[in-house]
Amino acid sequence: MSLLAFQKQFPDEATCLTFLEDQRWANGRYCPHCGSLKSYKFADGKLFKCGDCRKKFTVKVGTMFSDSHVPLQKWFYAIYLNTSLKKGISSIQLAKYLDITQKTAWFMLQRIRYSVEKSGRGDLLGNIVEADETYVGGTRHDGKRGRGASGKTPVVGIAERKGEIRMEVTENTKAVTLDKIITDHVAPGSTVMTDEYRPYGHVTRLGYKHRRVNHTNKDFVIGQNHTNTIEGAWSHLKLSIRAIYIGVSPKHLQKYCAEYEYRYNTRELKDDERFDKWFGFVNGANLTYRKLIGIQHMILAPVGVAPAPKPKRMKKERPAEPRKFRGLPDDDTLN
């Protein structure tokens, strides 16, 4: 579906509300407060009232749109662009398209990613799967890449050949970590393909058939033994981060992996089908800005007790330095 066709399908807010009702209440309207199937519609067509708990609600209550002041039409554009573009869209570009601030665009995109991240996965992967790990971000000042490089965040991936993919951001790539991820996402008795990395040596003990290729010896494909599927996914993921998002912090990396995972697992669908499927994730995926950026609640002093003033620090004067152009701000600067 082209962007022009998408615009014709959702020309106004009323059309978007009707579409959301059809998607969310395909099996019948229910109260988001108590779950009752008995409800009444007000004359304006937007507000409803539960016949049991007597609370009022709209179709947006209980979804990621519930406390947002952004019109649904702009939300729909953001969802369509984020799910249809192969490498995603940055908050800078989305802000220009929707005539909103970058902060709002970034928050919207993070909510879209969060809805997919918290939706849960489908069935376990099976048949022949490939397991591998990659390292995202960090610096290259030490001259190292991949394993052993400083400041990089490990991501473990499992891909079923001609099937779906799973990606997990981890703290390390030790055997206990890899074993748990494999058992969580791979059906028992499947064949697991890996490289020569030592922590994968436990795979056979977990009840899987294990095949390996030794990349150190320049062995990449031996018959059906290879990890080209998952390595191709790493290439696309890193290209998206470098080309579109510029940089991603470890705190939010799992959301970007979930976004890529969703597009990969729906690669056989058309753009409009992928857009419709996404609306199965809107329920209960309400992410607040405070939770997103990690602000903790302030600890207030007891009533009647004034907080002690903080001592002032003298600022040292530094000579002015010429400003250097460091490129466009990255998509993850608001974390």
Side-chain angles (χ1 to χ4, degrees), residues 14 16 117 130 145 155 162 266 294:
C16 296
E117 179 189 0
E130 301 173 15
R145 298 179 62 182
V155 183
K162 298 182 180 179
T266 57

Side-chain angles (χ1 to χ4, degrees), residues 41-55:
K41 180 186 286 189
F42 281 74
D44 62 358
K46 301 178 182 179
L47 192 62
F48 304 90
K49 185 175 183 179
C50 178
D52 290 330
C53 69
R54 312 302 294 175
K55 292 182 179 180

Side-chain angles (χ1 to χ4, degrees), residues 98-309:
L98 302 185
D99 193 22
I100 55 179
T101 64
Q102 185 199 353
K103 180 179 179 180
T104 300
W106 181 79
F107 186 32
M108 291 173 67
L109 288 172
Q110 293 292 56
R111 274 191 166 188
I112 294 171
R113 297 177 185 118
Y114 179 79
S115 65
V116 178
E117 179 189 0
K118 295 301 179 182
S119 64
R121 272 85 176 237
D123 300 331
L124 296 177
L125 305 181
N127 301 317
I128 300 177
V129 301
E130 301 173 15
D132 192 30
E133 77 290 340
T134 192
Y135 300 82
V136 179
T139 61
R140 295 184 181 178
H141 299 307
D142 55 4
K144 295 181 180 179
R145 298 179 62 182
R147 297 172 186 146
S150 62
K152 289 184 176 290
T153 304
V155 183
V156 179
I158 302 176
E160 179 180 343
R161 291 185 182 173
K162 298 182 180 179
E164 295 189 349
I165 196 172
R166 305 285 186 264
M167 292 182 174
E168 294 284 347
V169 177
T170 63
E171 294 183 358
N172 57 66
T173 56
K174 297 180 180 179
V176 62
T177 302
L178 299 178
D179 290 352
K180 185 179 186 309
I181 293 176
I182 291 175
T183 53
D184 285 347
H185 298 294
V186 182
S190 304
T191 300
V192 179
M193 303 284 184
T194 69
D195 58 17
E196 73 280 6
Y197 191 38
R198 287 187 62 184
Y200 289 118
H202 297 80
V203 171
T204 305
R205 304 178 192 174
L206 302 176
Y208 302 101
K209 301 173 185 177
H210 190 197
R211 301 290 184 270
R212 311 181 82 162
V213 287
N214 195 327
H215 291 169
T216 304
N217 295 339
K218 306 299 181 181
D219 296 333
F220 298 100
V221 179
I222 303 176
Q224 288 191 340
N225 299 347
H226 62 81
T227 56
N228 293 347
T229 305
I230 185 63
E231 288 172 3
W234 294 142
S235 177
H236 286 212
L237 173 67
K238 292 183 177 181
L239 180 60
S240 299
I241 293 176
R242 289 197 304 267
I244 304 299
Y245 305 122
I246 311 301
V248 175
S249 68
K251 179 170 62 176
H252 301 303
L253 181 57
Q254 184 62 59
K255 295 181 182 62
Y256 291 85
C257 290
E259 172 190 309
Y260 175 84
E261 186 178 313
Y262 176 72
R263 283 199 297 267
Y264 183 95
N265 294 341
T266 57
R267 61 192 181 280
E268 301 296 334
L269 300 180
K270 298 179 180 178
D271 290 344
D272 55 336
E273 295 172 338
R274 189 182 301 108
F275 174 81
D276 293 349
K277 180 180 177 63
W278 182 89
F279 279 86
F281 309 138
V282 296
N283 291 342
N286 192 6
L287 176 66
T288 64
Y289 189 78
R290 179 180 292 271
K291 180 180 178 181
L292 175 62
I293 62 178
I295 294 180
Q296 303 296 327
H297 294 289
M298 296 179 62
I299 301 177
L300 302 179
V303 178
V305 179

Side-chain angles (χ1 to χ4, degrees), residues 67-108:
D67 60 349
S68 175
H69 299 290
V70 178
L72 272 181
Q73 192 178 28
K74 291 189 177 183
W75 269 110
F76 281 23
Y77 270 106
I79 295 167
Y80 177 75
L81 291 171
N82 181 257
T83 56
S84 62
L85 296 177
K86 189 174 181 179
K87 296 181 180 64
I89 184 171
S90 70
S91 61
I92 299 173
Q93 196 64 43
L94 184 64
K96 294 178 181 178
Y97 286 161
L98 302 185
D99 193 22
I100 55 179
T101 64
Q102 185 199 353
K103 180 179 179 180
T104 300
W106 181 79
F107 186 32
M108 291 173 67

